[in-house]
């Protein structure tokens, strides 16, 4: 099945980039556990010289990811942060980036504590209305970096509107698509230039791999990023690529269940007397719900909620009491997780910034897994009792 580009998402998830092994017919892509490849004569080889540059297991995964995002190119990194690092290295001192005020904590930390020192300027702005971007664009603006839904308050940013403004101003528009996964949302089709994933999350799906990826169509940008990829070296090993290829085969089925369970839990939380706000983009009265409906296929399994009275100790208590939901960072695995953003995933963000984004002391974030919905609801019921 060489060409899967016209097939459905589930068929691509299972087959894209993957051919039976030519020597044995093995249906699964072998784990090419090698660092180097023999050459017939100096420089004469089968296209593989050294495994930082190319590995067949990784190539299969890169092709698969590219197809799922409707992209020409895919690049896999040893972590999501490795992928964001590579994109940021497209920039030069003096360049400016416009990004959201509700960013993944690690991205905020890398921008402020690493790239800030290299003379790159970052504007952390409210992107809920894309028109806000205009105020921050000047001749030095080189990139718009956005996440949607955002972490942890599930703000929806209008990808098509941001990409249009980027195009008009000759700026790169890059989207961190981790929370939606390629099953729910394809930013390139909405006009973005680069899609980034923390593959660690929904794509891997089983909480057993850390990996990142970029998908894109532009030849020139790809050449630059592939150069950085090989030069800076944040490339993943073949075992991890194999695990992700395996994980992706059920992405479409897992996502359907994440969305189904997510909806049930959001509706349960919404009516609970102890709960103040519930952040889930599927409520008709949620922020930018019409945009969510337009750009996403469904609303996913990520939900946050805060408590009436906003007491941190009460939130801690709930996080300690759940039995099916495990208290842990990360998201997107088959198992349900609960997280306290203010002290866990978002601890590196200053309090004023956190509060602006709604990350208050009683906020809890759920990554709703694919367990039986009744068990998940009972678990939350007893933890909130
Ligand atoms: C986890 C995450 C990242 C970072 O990815 P790693 O694989 O942990 O390096 C970036 N963005 C978002 C939205 C994430 O959830």
């Amino acid at each position: 099945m060489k060409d899967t580009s016209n097939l459905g998402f589930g068929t691509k998830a299972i087959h894209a980039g993957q051919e039976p092994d030519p020597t044995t017919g093995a249906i699964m892509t072998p784990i090419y556990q090698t660092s180097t490849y023999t050459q017939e004569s100096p420089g004469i080889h089968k296209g593989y010289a050294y495994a930082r540059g190319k590995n067949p297991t990784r190539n299969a995964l890169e092709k698969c990811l590219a197809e799922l995002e409707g992209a020409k190119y895919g690049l896999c990194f040893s972590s999501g942060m490795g992928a964001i690092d590579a994109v940021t290295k497209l920039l030069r001192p003096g360049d400016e980036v416009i990004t959201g005020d509700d960013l993944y904590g690690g991205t905020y930390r890398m921008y402020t504590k690493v790239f800030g020192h290299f003379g790159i300027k970052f504007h952390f702005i409210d992107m809920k209305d894309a028109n806000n971007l205009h105020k921050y664009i000047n001749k030095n603006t080189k990139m718009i970096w956005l996440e949607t839904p955002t972490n942890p308050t599930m703000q929806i940013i209008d990808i098509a509107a941001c990409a249009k403004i980027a195009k008009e101003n000759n700026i790169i528009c890059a989207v961190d698509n981790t929370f939606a996964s390629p099953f729910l949302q394809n930013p390139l089709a909405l006009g973005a230039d680069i899609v980034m994933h923390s593959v660690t999350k929904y794509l891997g799906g089983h909480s057993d791999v850390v990996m990142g990826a970029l998908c894109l169509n532009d030849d020139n940008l790809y050449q630059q990023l592939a150069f950085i990829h090989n030069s800076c070296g944040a490339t993943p090993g073949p075992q991890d690529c194999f695990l992700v290829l395996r994980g992706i085969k059920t992405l479409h089925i897992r996502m359907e269940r994440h969305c189904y369970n997510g909806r049930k839990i959001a509706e349960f939380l919404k009516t609970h007397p102890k709960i103040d706000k519930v952040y889930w983009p599927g409520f008709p009265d949620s922020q930018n719900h019409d945009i969510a409906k337009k750009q996403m296929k469904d609303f996913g399994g990520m939900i946050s909620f805060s408590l009436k009275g906003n007491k941190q100790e009460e939130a801690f208590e709930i996080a300690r009491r759940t039995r099916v939901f495990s208290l842990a960072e990360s998201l997107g695995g088959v198992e349900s997780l609960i997280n306290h953003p203010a002290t866990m995933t978002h601890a590196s963000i200053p309090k004023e910034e956190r509060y602006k984004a709604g990350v208050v002391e009683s906020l809890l974030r759920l990554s709703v897994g694919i367990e039986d919905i009744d068990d998940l609801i009972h678990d939350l019921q007893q933890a909130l009792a």
Side-chain angles (χ1 to χ4, degrees):
M1 198 183 299
K2 288 244 173 330
D3 184 11
T4 50
S5 57
N6 291 320
L7 302 174
F9 188 94
T11 313
K12 285 183 187 175
I14 294 166
H15 296 285
Q18 296 156 77
E19 294 295 332
D21 173 40
T23 51
T24 64
I27 195 159
M28 285 300 124
T29 308
I31 302 167
Y32 287 88
Q33 193 74 51
T34 188
S35 61
T36 191
Y37 309 87
T38 56
Q39 309 199 0
E40 265 173 53
S41 164
I44 308 294
H45 53 69
K46 297 183 162 67
Y48 295 91
Y50 185 63
R52 173 161 28 75
K54 252 172 122 183
N55 176 285
T57 319
R58 193 176 93 211
N59 293 354
L61 175 58
E62 288 176 339
K63 260 202 195 143
C64 181
L65 287 168
E67 285 214 13
L68 296 182
E69 279 294 4
K72 193 164 162 190
Y73 304 110
L75 285 169
C76 289
F77 291 81
S78 50
S79 69
M81 294 321 297
I84 300 173
D85 175 65
V87 174
T88 317
K89 284 173 177 159
L90 291 167
L91 305 173
R92 298 285 176 272
D95 287 351
E96 297 188 14
V97 177
I98 305 173
T99 188
D101 58 8
D102 192 18
L103 271 191
Y104 175 69
T107 309
Y108 180 84
R109 182 174 60 191
M110 183 193 279
Y111 282 172
T112 54
K113 301 256 171 78
V114 180
F115 284 102
H117 302 319
F118 290 91
I120 297 167
K121 190 167 171 188
F122 298 91
H123 301 273
F124 301 95
I125 73 160
D126 181 347
M127 293 173 91
K128 291 194 286 284
D129 177 357
N131 287 319
N132 263 350
L133 287 166
H134 291 295
K135 280 185 274 193
Y136 298 88
I137 294 175
N138 62 46
K139 65 177 187 346
N140 296 324
T141 313
K142 294 288 154 57
M143 182 153 57
I144 295 169
W145 179 275
L146 66 99
E147 266 176 49
T148 180
T150 67
N151 178 20
T153 56
M154 315 305 150
Q155 290 176 17
I156 298 297
I157 314 294
D158 188 336
I159 299 173
C162 292
K164 184 163 174 279
I165 293 169
K167 200 138 285 157
E168 284 162 4
N169 291 279
N170 204 19
I171 298 167
I172 295 168
C173 177
V175 178
D176 181 338
N177 203 26
T178 301
F179 268 43
S181 90
F183 179 75
L184 296 181
Q185 178 171 282
N186 298 119
L188 298 178
L190 299 164
D193 301 297
I194 301 174
V195 177
M196 175 264 159
H197 281 284
S198 169
V199 173
T200 315
K201 316 294 169 51
Y202 286 109
L203 283 161
H206 297 73
S207 307
D208 50 10
V209 176
V210 172
M211 193 186 290
L214 299 175
C215 298
L216 66 162
N217 283 316
D218 185 84
D219 298 327
N220 178 31
L221 263 183
Y222 172 71
Q223 292 307 329
Q224 292 179 61
L225 286 165
F227 178 80
I228 294 168
H229 189 232
N230 184 44
S231 304
C232 297
T235 55
Q239 296 259 4
D240 284 353
C241 293
F242 176 85
L243 283 172
V244 173
L245 278 168
R246 179 179 169 136
I248 286 176
K249 289 181 193 292
T250 54
L251 178 65
H252 50 303
I253 304 292
R254 287 188 281 112
M255 289 312 297
E256 281 172 9
R257 181 63 83 88
H258 284 297
C259 292
Y260 173 83
N261 284 355
R263 172 180 297 277
K264 295 278 182 199
I265 288 178
E267 285 165 355
F268 161 75
L269 294 171
K270 186 88 164 173
T271 58
H272 198 283
K274 283 196 178 164
I275 289 175
D276 182 18
K277 293 198 173 75
V278 182
Y279 299 96
W280 177 68
F283 293 125
D285 63 349
S286 65
Q287 173 269 339
N288 281 348
H289 173 70
D290 50 331
I291 295 166
K293 258 191 1 200
K294 212 166 55 185
Q295 68 188 19
M296 298 174 77
K297 195 167 170 179
D298 203 338
F299 304 109
M302 295 304 298
I303 302 166
S304 295
F305 62 94
S306 59
L307 303 172
K308 286 184 183 148
N310 194 30
K311 296 254 175 11
Q312 174 163 297
E313 191 42 45
E314 210 180 332
F316 275 22
E317 185 89 342
I318 292 165
R320 283 193 295 259
R321 271 205 298 251
T322 55
R323 293 288 168 264
V324 184
F325 282 83
S326 300
L327 177 59
E329 300 201 0
S330 199
L331 61 112
V334 291
E335 63 287 302
S336 293
L337 302 179
I338 186 164
N339 165 287
H340 184 254
T343 57
M344 292 169 69
T345 46
H346 289 60
S348 59
I349 300 179
K351 187 167 171 176
E352 317 83 76
E353 295 291 323
R354 267 204 292 114
Y355 262 77
K356 259 200 269 171
V359 187
V360 297
E361 266 56 41
S362 71
L363 191 80
L364 288 164
R365 189 189 79 182
L366 303 178
S367 171
V368 178
I370 63 171
E371 299 96 335
D372 289 294
I373 186 63
D374 291 347
D375 294 331
L376 295 178
I377 289 185
H378 288 152
D379 192 39
L380 291 172
Q381 254 164 351
Q382 65 81 23
L384 280 158

